[in-house]
Amino acid sequence: MIIIRTAAELEAYTGRELQNGHSIGFVPTMGALHAGHLSLVEKAVQGNDVTVVSVFVNPTQFNNPTDLATYPRDEEADIRLLAQAGVDVIFMPTVEEIYPGGLEGRERHEYALGTAAEVMEGKFRPGHFQGVAEVVARLFALVRPTRAYFGEKDFQQIAVIRNMVESEGIKVDIIACPIKRADDGLALSSRNALLSPEQRAVAPEIRKALVDSLEYARNHSVQATHDTVVERIDAVPGLETEYFEIVDARTLLPITEWDEAPEVVGCITVYCGKVRLIDNILYKTINK
Ligand code: PAF
């Protein structure tokens, strides 16, 4: 395994691999790796000739400076975990390598991300998805992956990245991978490291409320299902729902009737103290 820190070196490496006819699996991350990331890495290692993992906390996708400043980082542990996972390259760039000209002087481009980027995270974190699109497009240009792997915890992010790839004409297979959870159901997230023991103890109530709502939804309306989830979570001391939306899984636009869409997902963001936790649940799916 090698660690690459410059864009030029990474481009040269992936250029050689592509010339040799090798497929490249890519897992973009912001580090503080956990079993969720490692499940994506495992898929990339199994499904490709070489695997590249990037570790880069991307400032342009944070709309809240405190969130960026407190985002967990542990470079040493990340390197150890990725070496064990059989990765070929870890890309650990500086901000200047990703954004030549620096954050202020960089070239800007408005990505066409569709309406999927305007709701939920898009509404509550203005600029977030433009920042995600910007960094993912830059990383894709350097890595030129055959396949790129993303976790379904960030369900909306996957839809937005698919839109970005389509509008930019980037050739890559976007592979969505199931959420990894702790034994008590909490979706694994780098941000979980920021929870106090008391907060960690109540955080699984988010998943419990979502799972119980599956049964409730069978004979209640979309609105009633929405309300029961929010009321239950907000009744837990220390938890406060920012939004819960029941949406068409393809467009991410809200629905009002269960039969409005073939696939329906509930996406939630909850503050546990100052820590922002996200999760989702599938209410309706079509067998593929
Ligand atoms: O999901 C993440 O960790 C980030 O949004 C990503 C895709 C690595 C871009 O910075």
Side-chain angles (χ1 to χ4, degrees):
M1 184 188 79
I2 54 173
I3 299 174
I4 294 181
R5 295 190 187 269
T6 68
E9 241 184 295
L10 180 64
E11 254 187 315
Y13 173 90
T14 54
R16 282 193 302 274
E17 292 301 326
L18 291 171
Q19 256 192 345
N20 289 335
H22 292 163
S23 60
I24 301 178
F26 178 46
V27 183
T29 81
M30 297 206 297
L33 302 178
H34 50 68
H37 295 113
L38 297 178
S39 72
L40 310 184
V41 171
E42 194 183 318
K43 286 203 169 70
V45 170
Q46 279 168 4
N48 300 278
D49 296 317
V50 294
T51 298
V52 177
V53 177
S54 62
V55 174
F56 177 66
V57 181
N58 171 38
T60 71
Q61 70 188 74
F62 286 81
N63 57 319
N64 174 345
T66 314
D67 192 20
L68 173 61
T70 56
Y71 197 83
R73 295 165 204 244
D74 192 344
E75 191 175 300
E76 236 174 79
D78 291 346
I79 293 171
R80 190 169 18 85
L81 289 169
L82 293 173
Q84 284 163 3
V87 160
D88 298 283
V89 174
I90 312 180
F91 181 47
M92 292 183 142
T94 57
V95 169
E96 288 67 30
E97 286 295 326
I98 293 294
Y99 300 117
L103 283 179
E104 296 308 319
R106 74 194 197 275
E107 239 177 70
R108 293 183 193 232
H109 171 72
E110 188 77 17
Y111 291 90
L113 304 177
T115 47
E118 286 162 23
V119 293
M120 302 190 287
E121 292 297 284
K123 198 158 77 190
F124 285 92
R125 300 180 73 188
H128 168 65
F129 283 129
Q130 282 296 328
V132 170
E134 184 178 23
V135 76
V136 172
R138 170 81 172 132
L139 291 166
F140 281 180
L142 296 173
V143 178
R144 290 158 288 173
T146 317
R147 299 177 191 88
Y149 298 78
F150 294 88
E152 282 181 334
K153 180 173 71 63
D154 298 296
F155 193 88
Q156 188 178 6
Q157 173 170 273
I158 298 178
V160 170
I161 288 171
R162 284 192 203 281
N163 289 349
M164 183 276 283
V165 161
E166 203 187 321
S167 65
E168 295 293 309
I170 301 171
K171 273 207 176 65
V172 57
D173 269 353
I174 302 295
I175 316 277
C177 305
I179 302 178
K180 282 277 169 196
R181 298 184 178 280
D183 289 345
D184 58 14
L186 179 64
L188 296 186
S189 163
S190 302
R191 287 192 167 85
N192 293 354
L194 302 172
L195 296 170
S196 69
E198 294 74 24
Q199 289 169 333
R200 178 63 187 78
V202 296
E205 292 304 320
I206 302 167
R207 168 72 174 166
K208 286 190 194 136
L210 291 175
V211 170
D212 289 349
S213 77
L214 287 177
E215 182 59 33
Y216 186 88
R218 290 159 72 94
N219 42 26
H220 289 85
S221 67
V222 171
Q223 185 64 49
T225 304
H226 166 275
D227 294 349
T228 192
V229 167
V230 174
E231 278 162 27
R232 176 158 162 195
I233 290 175
D234 289 352
V236 177
L239 294 185
E240 195 182 346
T241 308
E242 183 174 56
Y243 67 78
F244 175 50
E245 293 207 14
I246 298 177
V247 301
D248 180 328
R250 298 157 312 172
T251 62
L252 289 243
L253 298 179
I255 58 156
T256 51
E257 304 293 335
W258 292 114
D259 60 8
E260 237 173 87
E263 291 198 280
V264 175
V265 64
C267 297
I268 196 160
T269 291
V270 177
Y271 273 98
C272 188
K274 287 194 168 27
V275 187
R276 201 168 177 276
L277 300 175
I278 75 173
D279 205 341
N280 59 73
I281 194 151
L282 213 51
Y283 285 104
K284 247 176 91 177
T285 184
I286 36 178
N287 293 327
K288 288 173 193 156

